Amino acid sequence: MKIRKAVFPVAGLGTRVLPATKAMPKEMLTIVDKPLIQYVVDEAREAGIEHFIFVTGRNKGVIEDHFDRMYELDATLAARGKKAEQDILARDQPDAGAMSFTRQQAPLGLGHAVWCARDIVGDEPFAVVLPDELVLHTPGCLKQMIDAAGQLGDKSNLIAVEEVPEHLTHQYGICGVGKRHASGNMFEVDGMVEKPPKGTAPSNLSITGRYILQPEIFKILATQGRGAGGEIQLTDAMIGLATTQRFYGVEFEGERHDCGSKSGFLRANIAFGMARPDLRDGLRAEMKNYLEK
């Protein structure tokens, strides 16, 4: 099962981190020295993704600009002899034609955002990557999932899952656990439910922000009604697709960070900073000095 394309839903308003996102997309908030969107694009590139599809909304044009060339900046860096900075920009520059942008005109939910990419994805399996969820690990979460997909049949769907506290299961999409796969970190999904009432969740494994889906999901999304929160939920469409195709949960390795919340954003900055050899010692010293005050 070859996965060439990935969809990045980036039309959200980022209300959990206002006022920072009043005039700037949440996907451009920086973790250490890179915007969130760059981290997930790098993760997808590592996984072998060739075509990057962004579902955008109003005031999101800066995301497209971020992945474009800035000739004035290139010329200035060259004139000042800043070779290291030039190399960083060149490393992050996507190939010509590797990125597509489409518009979600109304905030109708994740399922609707994915449906907006239908014509660009076409009739092939694809990945969905939520940019405000980062996973700190090498290889990345999507690479782990694509490797897992290589062990399954052509019409298989995969979702990344992680444990959450039992008392918080009502805040997440939750999946049931069926037969275990021989690989050990993968199982057949035995049912899915979006934000189940307290005490009714089939497990404590939450559906996180990485998916590998078959193109038949688009036909279901085209007529999918509104669900939790009055939005078109991707989980509801996956429940429909699960009646004809298998879903597998992948328990990925790595530390997940919800950068769409203020506390998660701060935690991610510390975690990713500490993971950098060039920053670790200085950050540790700064934190020690702060805590001793």
Side-chain angles (χ1 to χ4, degrees):
M1 186 163 55
K2 175 67 173 175
I3 313 297
R4 299 190 312 112
K5 297 178 180 179
V7 175
F8 301 85
V10 295
L13 299 175
T15 54
R16 289 189 294 162
V17 285
L18 284 169
T21 51
K22 181 180 178 182
M24 181 174 68
K26 68 176 179 179
E27 296 81 12
M28 292 302 295
L29 296 176
T30 55
I31 301 297
V32 187
D33 57 0
K34 291 196 300 185
L36 284 168
I37 193 65
Q38 186 67 59
Y39 281 97
V40 291
V41 166
D42 290 346
E43 178 185 335
R45 185 183 289 122
E46 177 207 26
I49 296 299
E50 301 169 4
H51 194 160
F52 308 82
I53 304 165
F54 299 85
V55 181
T56 71
R58 287 176 56 105
N59 301 322
K60 300 282 185 167
V62 67
I63 296 175
E64 188 168 354
D65 292 340
H66 173 74
F67 291 105
D68 203 353
R69 288 197 63 181
M70 294 185 62
Y71 291 99
E72 300 89 344
L73 180 58
D74 290 341
T76 299
L77 293 175
R80 295 178 180 177
K82 293 186 176 293
K83 182 67 165 57
E85 289 80 359
Q86 284 183 285
D87 291 343
I88 290 172
L89 294 181
R91 178 197 65 196
D92 294 341
Q93 184 70 40
D95 294 334
M99 293 194 164
S100 297
F101 296 82
T102 189
R103 184 66 71 97
Q104 181 187 22
Q105 287 92 346
L108 297 179
L110 177 58
H112 181 260
V114 172
W115 180 77
C116 288
R118 64 198 182 281
D119 288 337
I120 305 175
V121 171
D123 189 25
E124 60 183 283
F126 63 102
V128 177
V129 182
L130 303 191
D132 55 2
E133 296 189 20
L134 300 186
V135 176
L136 182 54
H137 193 271
T138 302
C141 181
L142 190 58
K143 177 71 164 61
Q144 296 176 51
M145 294 182 68
I146 288 180
D147 288 346
Q151 305 176 52
L152 303 173
D154 285 344
K155 286 297 180 181
S156 298
N157 302 266
L158 296 89
I159 54 179
V161 301
E162 72 165 357
E163 291 188 357
V164 296
E166 296 279 357
H167 67 281
L168 296 179
T169 53
H170 65 285
Q171 299 179 8
Y172 299 90
I174 301 292
C175 67
V177 180
K179 182 181 177 181
R180 282 276 170 185
H181 191 269
S183 66
N185 71 328
M186 187 164 46
F187 58 87
E188 293 185 18
V189 172
D190 182 17
M192 291 173 275
V193 59
E194 181 67 27
K195 297 181 179 179
K198 288 184 178 181
T200 66
S203 76
N204 69 332
L205 290 176
S206 72
I207 301 169
T208 65
R210 303 289 186 274
Y211 313 78
I212 293 175
L213 300 172
Q214 298 298 321
E216 287 79 10
I217 194 77
F218 293 124
K219 292 181 181 178
I220 298 174
L221 286 169
T223 58
Q224 181 66 53
R226 300 194 183 199
E231 297 181 337
I232 298 173
Q233 296 289 347
L234 182 60
T235 300
D236 292 340
M238 292 193 298
I239 291 170
L241 185 59
T243 62
T244 58
Q245 295 181 0
R246 285 188 174 179
F247 274 77
Y248 292 85
V250 179
E251 296 173 290
F252 58 90
E253 295 182 14
E255 185 178 79
R256 172 182 167 270
H257 296 272
D258 177 12
C259 301
S261 70
K262 294 178 182 179
S263 59
F265 175 75
L266 293 172
R267 182 171 176 263
N269 268 285
I270 294 171
F272 278 80
M274 292 296 290
R276 288 262 298 264
D278 60 324
L279 298 176
R280 185 182 303 125
D281 291 342
L283 179 57
R284 184 180 287 117
E286 291 287 349
M287 291 175 65
K288 182 175 183 295
N289 290 337
Y290 176 78
L291 293 172
E292 288 177 350
K293 286 183 178 179

